[in-house]
Amino acid sequence: MLAGKIIDKATKEPLPFTSLSLKEEQTGALSNEFGVFQLPGPLKNETDSLIVMALGYEHLAIAVQRGKPLANLVLEVNRRAIALSNVTVKGGKVKNLELGANSNHPGDGLLQGQPGGQYAFFVKNDKNKRLGNIRSVSFYIGENGFPREPFRVRLYKPDGNYNAPNTDILTDNVVVSAPKGGQWYTVDLTPYNVVAPEEGFFVAMEWIVSGDKFFNTNFMDDNYTPYGQIMRPTFEFKESRTWTYSIAKGWTLLTMATAAGQHYNAMIKAEVDMIK
């Protein structure tokens, strides 16, 4: 096993919910709220690279060997320098603009994930307005599962391969919990001053490490599988705007659609400043 703790190199504070993966093995894990992690070492190759990806920090890679456990690793990572953008309003007014899903009635189906997994919906600037800061994001939380289980909010630029989510534009750990399921849950992002990219941006829900009480029996193999809260889908759009992420494997476009051509997307929306 590979086990230890991830900390900020400067402050020595633990870094919660940090992604770790073995590059060649294509396996990974997420640290808990105290930065503590544990995952199996490499099995396929004699050597591999352990990749550490903490939100707002530079990536770290260390060499590990098959058959050589490391039980007390302390991995120190450097905070990444972020250049903050500014929006200047000259002789204009700021109004509220709603983008993303409009419906209050979710479609049939569930979107659920393992710790470190994500569903990201592209909030497209399809009205071609001049955008300012992101005010809030909203997720339709399903009534099934454990609706009050915490999750992390992620925001990305669409600058990956094939316009996939890639660069974080929210670099703070925003961990929230809905009061109940079967309704929209809105997260206020005004304190973070995140400027919306003009073409739009991805809003993602990231499943984090759950407590022992947030478990569900998987009837297929009799193992316990953590799944926490669940999102519901929407069929409002005739295009796939949703990507799914798993640790060590990256982003994949969700392409499911109905016979009528309505695509299966995560039910997510955002409120953005519109500059007139």
Side-chain angles (χ1 to χ4, degrees), residues 110-128:
L110 306 172
L111 292 90
Q112 62 189 68
Q114 298 287 340
Q118 302 180 49
Y119 276 95
F121 174 77
F122 184 56
V123 177
K124 186 178 181 181
N125 184 12
D126 44 16
K127 299 178 182 178
N128 295 315

Side-chain angles (χ1 to χ4, degrees), residues 115-260:
Q118 302 180 49
Y119 276 95
F121 174 77
F122 184 56
V123 177
K124 186 178 181 181
N125 184 12
D126 44 16
K127 299 178 182 178
N128 295 315
K129 301 295 185 179
R130 186 183 171 202
L131 305 183
N133 286 355
I134 301 170
R135 293 187 181 185
S136 68
V137 294
S138 300
F139 305 83
Y140 196 97
I141 307 294
E143 61 277 15
N144 303 104
F146 302 97
R148 295 174 61 190
E149 171 71 336
F151 64 92
R152 181 160 60 178
V153 178
R154 303 289 294 264
L155 301 180
Y156 297 97
K157 289 182 180 179
D159 56 352
N161 292 334
Y162 305 102
N163 299 319
N166 185 38
T167 302
D168 285 290
I169 57 175
L170 174 64
T171 57
D172 292 272
N173 267 308
V174 180
V175 177
V176 295
S177 178
K180 63 179 182 179
Q183 63 181 21
W184 284 102
Y185 174 59
T186 299
V187 183
D188 179 16
L189 295 182
T190 54
Y192 304 101
N193 296 314
V194 180
V195 179
E198 284 302 313
E199 68 273 26
F201 52 94
F202 280 99
V203 179
M205 171 185 284
E206 181 181 18
W207 280 257
I208 58 178
V209 179
S210 308
D212 289 342
K213 64 181 179 179
F214 296 107
F215 279 70
N216 177 55
T217 302
N218 184 335
F219 67 91
M220 296 297 291
D221 59 7
D222 295 326
N223 290 326
Y224 285 96
T225 304
Y227 71 131
Q229 77 292 340
I230 286 172
M231 264 196 304
R232 295 293 300 277
T234 181
F235 293 94
E236 297 173 57
F237 306 100
K238 292 186 177 181
E239 59 184 345
S240 296
R241 298 190 185 185
T242 301
W243 293 70
T244 180
Y245 176 87
S246 58
I247 294 177
K249 295 180 181 178
W251 291 101
T252 303
L253 181 64
L254 197 65
T255 58
M256 291 187 295
T258 66

Side-chain angles (χ1 to χ4, degrees), residues 41-52:
L43 297 173
K44 297 177 182 177
N45 302 300
E46 289 295 326
T47 61
D48 205 336
S49 295
L50 179 63
I51 310 297
V52 181

Side-chain angles (χ1 to χ4, degrees), residues 15-19 30-33 152 173 175 206 208-209:
L15 297 179
F17 316 128
T18 295
S19 169
L30 198 71
S31 71
N32 67 12
E33 60 186 302
R152 181 160 60 178
N173 267 308
V175 177
E206 181 181 18
I208 58 178
V209 179

